[in-house]
């Protein structure tokens, strides 16, 4: 857990490029040259299958198209959250052993994946991911002495979406990315179900009063530790735990 947190906060030095559009054509030559040298690549999509409600490239179709395009040259694998753990592990092990050179996936590879030979990542519809999540994803590459590359394919039309991706293109420090993401999206309800937007604080500003809030947090922990057997504290902790569990139900 500590290593994952450290990696997320410090980040890895990876060349990140924002590419307008959702076609791989502008970077196809780079991908071919990279694979020819023996490297492996991640291709991340926001969807598992085609959706009528949500626009975006899906992993199932992309994996089929890439398998056809690179037939006889490279192996293409597919992994996503709807697979069983056994299926996912089988694919991931094949990727680690370089039996699969191109791994098409959803965000299931966001954490806990370490393949030092995979130093290129292509992310379709990058505007659909939060900045912190994109930073976490690109943390899968550049984990060896080799240079890492992360391409953000996006047909973002809103200026805010473009600014977010351009920010990520030029910033690699996890602290800066998370702080910028927090300011743009807002923290949402700390104990509720709202995952973004401005909080409902009436007497403070979460950005300007950060240091005061940090002192308050430490004081709260100290107070709870001193009175951990108090029924009110036990009830409060139970409510907090239930709210956190309820929020996590929405996370893939």
């Amino acid at each position: 857990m500590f290593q994952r947190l450290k990696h997320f906060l410090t980040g890895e030095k990876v060349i990140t490029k924002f590419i307008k559009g959702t076609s791989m054509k502008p970077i196809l030559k780079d991908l071919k040259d990279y694979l020819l040298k023996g490297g492996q690549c991640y291709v991340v999509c926001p969807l598992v299958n085609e959706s009528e409600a949500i626009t975006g490239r899906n992993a199932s179709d992309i994996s089929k198209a890439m398998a056809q395009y690179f037939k006889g040259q490279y192996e293409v694998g597919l992994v996503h959250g709807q697979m069983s753990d056994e299926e996912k592990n089988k694919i991931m092990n094949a990727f680690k052993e370089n039996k699969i050179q191109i791994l098409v996936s959803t965000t299931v590879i966001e954490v806990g994946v370490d393949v030092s030979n995979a130093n290129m990542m292509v992310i379709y519809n990058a505007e659909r991911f939060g900045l912190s999540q994109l930073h976490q994803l690109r943390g899968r590459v550049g984990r060896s002495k080799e240079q890492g590359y992360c391409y953000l394919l996006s047909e973002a039309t809103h200026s805010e979406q473009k600014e977010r991706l351009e920010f990520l293109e030029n910033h690699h420090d996890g602290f800066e990315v998370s702080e910028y993401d927090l300011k743009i999206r807002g923290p949402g309800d700390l104990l509720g179900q709202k995952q973004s937007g401005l909080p409902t604080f009436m007497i403070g500003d979460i950005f300007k009063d950060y240091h005061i809030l940090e002192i308050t947090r430490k004081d709260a922990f100290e107070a709870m530790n001193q009175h951990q057997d108090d029924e009110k504290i036990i009830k409060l902790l139970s409510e907090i735990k239930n709210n956190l569990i309820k929020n996590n139900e929405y996370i893939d």
Side-chain angles (χ1 to χ4, degrees), residues 20-35:
K20 294 181 180 179
T22 55
S23 170
M24 200 181 282
K25 288 182 180 179
I27 60 171
L28 192 56
K29 184 180 184 303
D30 290 342
L31 175 59
K32 287 181 177 179
D33 290 344
Y34 171 74
L35 292 172

Side-chain angles (χ1 to χ4, degrees), residues 16 109 116 196 206 244:
T16 304
I109 56 126
S116 60
S196 63
I206 194 170
L244 290 174

Side-chain angles (χ1 to χ4, degrees), residues 51-110:
S51 171
E52 294 182 1
I54 304 174
T55 57
R57 307 303 291 270
N58 69 85
S60 297
D61 287 347
I62 291 296
S63 65
K64 291 177 184 176
M66 296 197 76
Q68 181 62 35
Y69 185 84
F70 288 109
K71 187 175 181 179
Q73 301 178 64
Y74 306 108
E75 291 297 320
V76 178
L78 171 65
V79 64
H80 54 74
Q82 294 179 12
M83 291 178 167
S84 67
D85 288 342
E86 184 179 356
E87 290 175 312
K88 286 186 286 188
N89 290 335
K90 182 179 180 180
I91 296 297
M92 287 309 307
N93 286 332
F95 187 60
K96 289 179 181 178
E97 295 170 5
N98 204 0
K99 294 177 181 178
I100 291 175
Q101 288 73 51
I102 303 171
L103 181 65
V104 182
S105 76
T106 55
T107 56
V108 293
I109 56 126
E110 185 178 354

